């Protein structure tokens, strides 16, 4: 089936540094999402993105977070600066226009020390 | 806002046992309801979806229906296998919008 790729699978950084999580969505998909999952807890919506714009974001999407997808490249989540509570697995997802099925990547495990 | 509640955090069964997982939801929209399954080291993947109350979604031996009157949505399987061990999420999603996940039910099937 369709694959969403996330790079890297693990990232360890020091608190206060910047980190960029990369997502390669399914090729013909137009809507992109980030979700956050702290170990042992539920998936929490962060943000969705369409046509170069943030469509909706949650309270978890702090001012230190930003997303973008320069033409034809990765859909990225940038955190600057990072905090200890940002440690989690971040899942990228994408879907086609007018379709409801979200396809998820395998996640990037971010550890902030 | 939208919410989904899964009361069963963990379920342990033996192979060939009957599986029943329930969740309740709250939304002001006309819901589409999903069950997603997550295997270790992977992202959630769609198991099945139901767009209309009292209709049945079926996939890989799993069945699900939602009851609009009680705002409940259940997943069942007649005979589970060890390979069904995973985390199952009840998910709420109006068409074209973000998905709201329940807390997940970790299913362990013993051989």
């Amino acid at each position: 089936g369709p694959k969403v790729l996330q790079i890297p699978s693990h990232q360890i950084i020091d608190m206060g540094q910047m980190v960029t999580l990369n997502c390669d969505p399914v090729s013909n998909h137009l809507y992109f999402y980030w979700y956050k999952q702290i170990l042992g807890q539920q998936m929490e919506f962060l943000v969705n993105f369409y046509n170069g714009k943030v469509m909706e974001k949650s309270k978890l999407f702090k001012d230190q977070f930003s997303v973008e997808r320069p033409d034809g490249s990765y859909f990225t989540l940038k955190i600057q600066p990072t905090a200890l509570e940002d440690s989690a697995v971040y899942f990228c997802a994408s879907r086609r226009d007018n379709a409801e099925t979200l396809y998820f990547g395998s996640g990037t495990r971010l550890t902030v020390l | 806002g939208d919410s989904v509640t899964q009361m069963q955090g963990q379920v342990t069964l033996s192979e060939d046992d009957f599986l029943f997982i329930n969740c309740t939801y709250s939304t002001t929209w006309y819901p589409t309801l999903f069950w997603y399954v997550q295997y270790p080291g992977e992202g959630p993947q769609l198991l099945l979806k139901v767009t209309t109350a009292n209709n049945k979604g079926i996939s890989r031996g799993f069945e699900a229906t939602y009851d609009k009157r009680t705002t409940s949505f259940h997943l069942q399987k007649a005979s589970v296998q060890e390979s069904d061990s995973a985390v199952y999420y009840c998910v709420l999603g109006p068409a074209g919008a973000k998905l709201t996940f329940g807390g997940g039910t970790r299913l362990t099937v013993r051989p």
Side-chain angles (χ1 to χ4, degrees), chain B residues 72-102:
Chain B
S72 64
F73 184 48
H74 75 265
L75 178 72
Q76 65 182 62
K77 188 177 185 184
S79 176
V80 293
Q81 302 304 304
E82 191 177 359
S83 58
D84 294 325
S85 296
V87 180
Y88 292 82
Y89 292 99
C90 177
V91 182
L92 170 66
K98 68 181 175 75
L99 299 184
T100 300
F101 280 71

Side-chain angles (χ1 to χ4, degrees), chain A residues 11-22 64-66 68 76-83 86 110-112:
Chain A
Q11 181 98 40
I12 301 174
I13 59 171
D14 291 323
M15 183 177 61
Q17 285 189 320
M18 180 195 76
V19 68
T20 300
L21 308 183
N22 297 300
Q64 297 90 328
F65 287 37
S66 63
E68 65 175 354
T76 63
L77 172 66
K78 182 184 292 185
I79 309 174
Q80 181 178 27
T82 51
D86 296 330
L110 175 65
T111 302
V112 181

Side-chain angles (χ1 to χ4, degrees), chain B residues 2-103:
Chain B
D2 295 344
S3 68
V4 178
T5 302
Q6 291 180 246
M7 297 301 293
Q8 301 153 287
Q10 296 202 45
V11 172
T12 302
L13 298 172
S14 299
E15 279 199 323
D16 298 325
D17 279 352
F18 173 72
L19 170 70
F20 184 90
I21 300 174
N22 196 34
C23 84
T24 57
Y25 66 90
S26 174
T27 181
T28 55
W29 302 84
Y30 191 88
T32 294
L33 288 154
F34 308 80
W35 283 99
Y36 272 76
V37 58
Q38 185 177 24
Y39 299 99
E42 299 182 13
Q45 57 183 269
L46 179 66
L47 178 59
L48 50 78
K49 72 177 182 183
V50 181
T51 57
T52 306
N54 301 320
N55 278 8
K56 186 178 290 186
I58 300 174
S59 174
R60 300 188 238 167
F62 291 87
E63 298 182 0
T65 54
Y66 83 83
D67 185 329
K68 192 177 178 184
R69 182 179 61 85
T70 60
T71 63
S72 64
F73 184 48
H74 75 265
L75 178 72
Q76 65 182 62
K77 188 177 185 184
S79 176
V80 293
Q81 302 304 304
E82 191 177 359
S83 58
D84 294 325
S85 296
V87 180
Y88 292 82
Y89 292 99
C90 177
V91 182
L92 170 66
K98 68 181 175 75
L99 299 184
T100 300
F101 280 71

